[in-house]
Amino acid sequence: MEQPSWIVPDWPAPENIRAVSTTRCGGISRPPFDSLNLGARTGDDALSVTENRKRLATALGLPTAPRWLAQIHGSRVVTAEEIEPDETRADAATTGATATVCAVLTADCLPVLLCDRDGSRVGAAHAGWRGLVAGMLERTVEAMGVAPERLMAWLGPAIGAEAFEVGDEVREAFRLSDPGCEACFTAGRPGHWYADLGALGRRRLSAAGVGALYGSGLCTYSDAGRFYSHRRDGRTGRMATLVWRAH
């Protein structure tokens, strides 16, 4: 049986922090969800998603089942303890509990993990452009409950700047709240721009006081063998980015 594959964040997190970002490889879902689809709201067979989640939990030795969210491209942050499986509508979760796994699902949007330097709190956020404009990351930083300068963040695989084409209205939405963000946009065809989602996320985190920023630099759109991409494929699966305190 093929084992799930994943990416381990390259960040100087405390030794009790565990974090992983999955790829699309190692599951049983059939096309167009092949193969390790972890998203229950994609249209994939429910039994396949359940089996994929079991495989991931076994391969990683997860202490408990991840606290999956019903993501809404908004800015609501909850504690992991208040999540009802696949029902709590939010886009980020934080916790200070041991063995509680925070998780977000993505297929182009930016997954962001947070932890503090003492290893006492963790958080996971799902940030598409709408969430970034709405203050998703700033609210997650605040919900961590520690001084921002004591936090570090890891930005996972997301659609790259060469592939994420947006309209004038998206660029203007960012400029209204962050006039200095122009460098994150490159002109494309008339009325359109290529947006650097990772750079926009880093600007938001920096403005919120988080100075220790790390990232995978991996593009979901350009690597169809490893990653799902909604922009590239439309109907597709979801990867997961997870973080928890081992002790």
Side-chain angles (χ1 to χ4, degrees):
M1 181 175 70
E2 183 184 2
Q3 289 293 308
S5 61
W6 54 79
I7 297 159
V8 177
D10 181 15
W11 62 341
E15 59 88 21
N16 69 313
I17 301 300
R18 304 288 184 269
V20 164
S21 191
T22 69
T23 69
R24 68 184 300 166
C25 307
I28 66 167
S29 291
R30 300 178 64 83
F33 308 105
D34 49 320
S35 65
L36 190 69
N37 173 35
L38 299 168
R41 287 177 163 79
T42 58
D44 192 5
D45 174 65
L47 293 178
S48 295
V49 175
T50 298
E51 174 61 22
N52 289 339
R53 290 180 173 186
K54 288 180 179 177
R55 286 193 181 195
L56 182 68
T58 299
L60 289 175
L62 295 181
T64 57
R67 304 299 178 96
W68 304 108
L69 295 164
Q71 297 169 189
I72 53 176
H73 291 274
S75 60
R76 185 182 181 215
V77 184
V78 297
T79 63
E81 291 72 23
E82 65 186 291
I83 296 174
E84 298 179 15
D86 283 332
E87 295 181 9
T88 300
R89 293 168 61 83
D91 285 275
T94 67
T95 187
T98 300
T100 298
V101 183
C102 295
V104 291
L105 296 166
T106 58
D108 278 338
C109 290
L110 181 68
V112 178
L113 300 182
L114 292 162
C115 74
D116 72 327
R117 297 186 183 279
D118 294 332
S120 63
R121 291 200 66 83
V122 296
H126 157 255
W129 76 262
R130 291 178 178 84
L132 287 176
V133 168
M136 173 80 268
L137 295 183
E138 294 91 332
R139 292 188 181 185
T140 307
V141 169
E142 182 179 4
M144 290 289 288
V146 299
E149 60 268 22
R150 296 191 57 78
L151 296 174
M152 64 183 72
W154 183 77
L155 289 69
I159 190 168
E162 298 80 13
F164 189 35
E165 187 181 36
V166 300
D168 282 332
E169 73 284 358
V170 174
R171 178 172 178 264
E172 187 60 23
F174 278 101
R175 291 180 68 247
L176 286 174
S177 58
D178 180 11
C181 72
E182 286 90 346
C184 299
F185 294 87
T186 302
R189 57 195 172 97
H192 291 78
W193 305 81
Y194 288 97
D196 190 334
L197 198 62
L200 289 164
R202 289 190 292 273
R203 286 185 64 85
R204 295 278 172 162
L205 289 163
S206 294
V210 182
L213 304 177
Y214 306 87
S216 70
L218 297 171
C219 173
T220 51
Y221 185 95
S222 63
D223 191 346
R226 296 180 74 192
F227 302 119
Y228 298 114
S229 168
H230 183 269
R231 178 64 67 98
R232 183 188 64 229
D233 300 324
R235 192 163 179 253
T236 192
R238 297 293 185 273
M239 289 89 63
T241 302
L242 313 95
V243 65
W244 68 99
R245 298 179 64 236
H247 55 80

